[in-house]
Amino acid sequence: MDGILHRTKGDKVIWTIVIFLSLVSLLAVYSATGSLAYRLQGGHTEYYLFKQLSVLVMGLLIIYFAHRVNYTIYSRVAQIGFLISIPLLIYTLAFGSHINDASRWIRLPVINLTFQTSDVAKLAIFMYVSRQLSKRQGNITDFKRGFLPIIIPVGIICVLIMPANMSTALLLGASCMILCFIGRVPIRYLAAMVGVGVVLIVLMFAIAALTGKKGRTQVWINRIEHFISGDDSKSDMPYQVQQANIAIAGGGVLGKGPGNSTQRNFLPHAYSDYIYATIIEEYGIFGAFLILMAYMLLLLRSISLFRKCPYAFGAFLAVGLSITLVIQALTNMAVNVGLFPVTGVTLPLVSMGGSSVIFTSLAIGIILSVSRNVEELEGKRIEQERIAKVVAQQAEIEEF
């Protein structure tokens, strides 16, 4: 155990955030899965607790091993990951598991495990964009040689994700735009890409309306209409929004206490998409604020890494992965408190899940890998300064 702790490096604040969110996840998932356990597991409420615990332990192991790898290796696998993501997403659209008219999951035949291919694609595209930004800083303002090789892969991934999961595609595109902005891509190029994206979305809705094959587009339209109307008295207001509002209103400042939520029995997906509303009901605004601050602190520490890292790829990688995690978290919170239309976005490292926790852990492990490298370089610099100072003092003594 001491050996593992001795070999655990990286930003201690980020490690603390990971442990904190993991503990929150255990408490919230155990509380929110009571009715689910009675329906599916014969009342064995500990089933989902131990399931989530095993996933989180696996996630911590992934973080540990990922942070021990030199982050430059991720640059080498970025292109492979991007190329693998394309056929995976195409296969998911054609043969993936259908839930709520959406194909987001594929099932591994031997171990019977399902996972969202968009999680693989998100991680791969951020590594790929970070690699391209670092390589093309010399001609980043050139549209053909600097910008297009970066944005075309992003567009391909977003287009393949969008039919089944528009919210994830939009968040991914927005996160990549922010990373490109940090990477000194001209704003006019980014604005043009936003315009192209809006045109493609409008075109997709128009085609769905003309052909009569609305599918998921009708779901998106309904969600946006309900959100824009802003009339809480409407009978057709989404049921999950109603229950989330009741849960938040009942939480108050300090909440009802751990395990005392009442809306968890009525709120759909209280353990995943709407886990933040459950947390607010049990821990109040104070608990909600702590979780919000944890994600913001993760972003701030990653920005600090961006400034300290002497190599462009590591800097872009750390800040890019943290941006996508924090944007996902803020979106989930905004949906739960009624500031954003309903989406299927989970709360990273807190919501119950398998593949989402695993790929989130891998992203955090990569961030910590960059942090470990920065610490080692900083340690070497301090040691060199110390040796130089000792040598200078010795020379002064000899001269005297």
Side-chain angles (χ1 to χ4, degrees):
M1 186 68 179
D2 291 337
I4 294 177
L5 293 176
H6 179 71
R7 291 192 297 271
T8 301
K9 307 293 182 181
D11 194 307
K12 299 299 185 292
V13 175
I14 295 179
W15 276 109
T16 302
I17 292 171
V18 170
I19 299 300
F20 169 71
L21 293 178
S22 298
L23 292 175
V24 170
S25 177
L26 284 177
L27 292 173
V29 168
Y30 182 54
S31 174
T33 53
S35 59
L36 187 66
Y38 275 99
R39 290 201 312 268
L40 302 179
Q41 302 299 328
H44 297 289
T45 55
E46 296 82 7
Y47 173 82
Y48 291 104
L49 172 66
F50 288 113
K51 181 180 179 181
Q52 184 69 1
L53 176 61
S54 63
V55 171
L56 290 172
V57 169
M58 184 183 300
L60 288 174
L61 290 174
I62 290 173
I63 293 174
Y64 173 77
F65 288 111
H67 105 288
R68 294 293 302 172
V69 176
N70 192 310
Y71 74 86
T72 57
I73 294 178
Y74 297 116
S75 175
R76 302 171 191 171
V77 302
Q79 192 166 2
I80 299 174
F82 165 68
L83 293 175
I84 291 175
S85 299
I86 295 175
L88 276 178
L89 291 172
I90 295 174
Y91 178 85
T92 303
L93 288 175
F95 307 105
S97 300
H98 287 261
I99 299 179
N100 295 329
D101 296 324
S103 294
R104 302 179 183 178
W105 295 264
I106 62 174
R107 185 179 300 275
L108 299 178
V110 178
I111 58 177
N112 199 32
L113 175 69
T114 58
F115 71 97
Q116 289 196 52
T117 49
S118 60
D119 290 330
V120 181
K122 284 192 297 183
L123 187 58
I125 196 62
F126 269 100
M127 291 194 294
Y128 184 81
V129 170
S130 300
R131 172 187 169 90
Q132 292 298 318
L133 282 173
S134 63
K135 289 178 60 179
R136 301 180 186 276
Q137 282 300 297
N139 55 3
I140 195 66
T141 57
D142 188 287
F143 185 77
K144 291 184 178 180
R145 293 184 299 166
F147 181 62
L148 284 183
I150 297 172
I151 205 62
I152 289 177
V154 174
I156 292 172
I157 295 298
C158 289
V159 167
L160 291 175
I161 292 176
M162 186 173 292
N165 197 341
M166 176 178 276
S167 55
T168 296
L170 293 177
L171 292 178
L172 178 60
S175 300
C176 289
M177 291 295 102
I178 295 173
L179 182 56
C180 287
F181 174 76
I182 295 173
R184 302 191 306 115
V185 172
I187 295 179
R188 63 182 183 275
Y189 295 164
L190 300 178
M193 289 303 103
V194 171
V196 171
V198 171
V199 171
L200 288 176
I201 293 173
V202 172
L203 184 62
M204 184 176 63
F205 278 97
I207 293 174
L210 291 174
T211 59
K213 297 179 180 179
K214 295 184 177 181
R216 292 290 297 175
T217 58
Q218 188 60 49
V219 176
W220 303 328
I221 292 172
N222 292 339
R223 288 176 175 178
I224 294 172
E225 286 179 346
H226 289 307
F227 177 74
I228 292 176
S229 68
D231 187 357
D232 292 353
S233 63
K234 285 191 174 183
S235 60
D236 61 349
M237 180 182 182
Y239 177 75
Q240 62 265 43
V241 176
Q242 296 177 8
Q243 299 306 315
N245 291 341
I246 296 172
I248 293 170
V253 177
L254 298 177
K256 298 179 178 179
N260 292 327
S261 169
T262 54
Q263 294 309 117
R264 63 188 176 186
N265 298 319
F266 306 98
L267 185 60
H269 306 293
Y271 43 83
S272 56
D273 296 0
Y274 279 89
I275 198 168
Y276 193 61
T278 307
I279 291 173
I280 295 176
E281 184 180 12
E282 294 188 349
Y283 300 94
I285 297 175
F286 178 73
F289 178 76
L290 287 181
I291 295 175
L292 174 61
M293 287 300 100
Y295 288 108
M296 298 311 298
L297 188 56
L298 171 64
L299 180 60
L300 289 176
R301 299 303 295 181
S302 298
I303 292 174
S304 177
L305 283 178
F306 175 81
R307 293 175 175 175
K308 292 179 180 179
C309 187
Y311 304 109
F313 174 70
F316 289 134
L317 191 61
V319 76
L321 291 175
S322 65
I323 284 173
T324 186
L325 292 177
V326 172
I327 286 181
Q328 179 179 335
L330 292 178
T331 302
N332 176 273
M333 296 176 191
V335 169
N336 275 247
V337 300
L339 296 178
F340 205 75
V342 176
T343 66
V345 176
T346 56
L347 194 59
L349 216 61
V350 175
S351 296
M352 186 178 76
S355 64
S356 61
V357 173
I358 289 172
F359 286 103
T360 297
S361 299
L362 183 55
I364 294 174
I366 295 173
I367 295 172
L368 285 170
S369 173
V370 177
S371 174
R372 181 177 67 87
N373 183 267
V374 170
E375 284 184 356
E376 291 175 352
L377 292 175
E378 183 70 12
K380 290 178 181 178
R381 184 187 64 81
I382 294 174
E383 181 64 18
Q384 289 173 353
E385 291 178 353
R386 186 190 68 80
I387 294 174
K389 185 176 181 180
V390 170
V391 171
Q393 290 175 347
Q394 186 66 31
E396 289 180 0
I397 294 173
E398 291 177 355
E399 183 179 351
F400 178 76

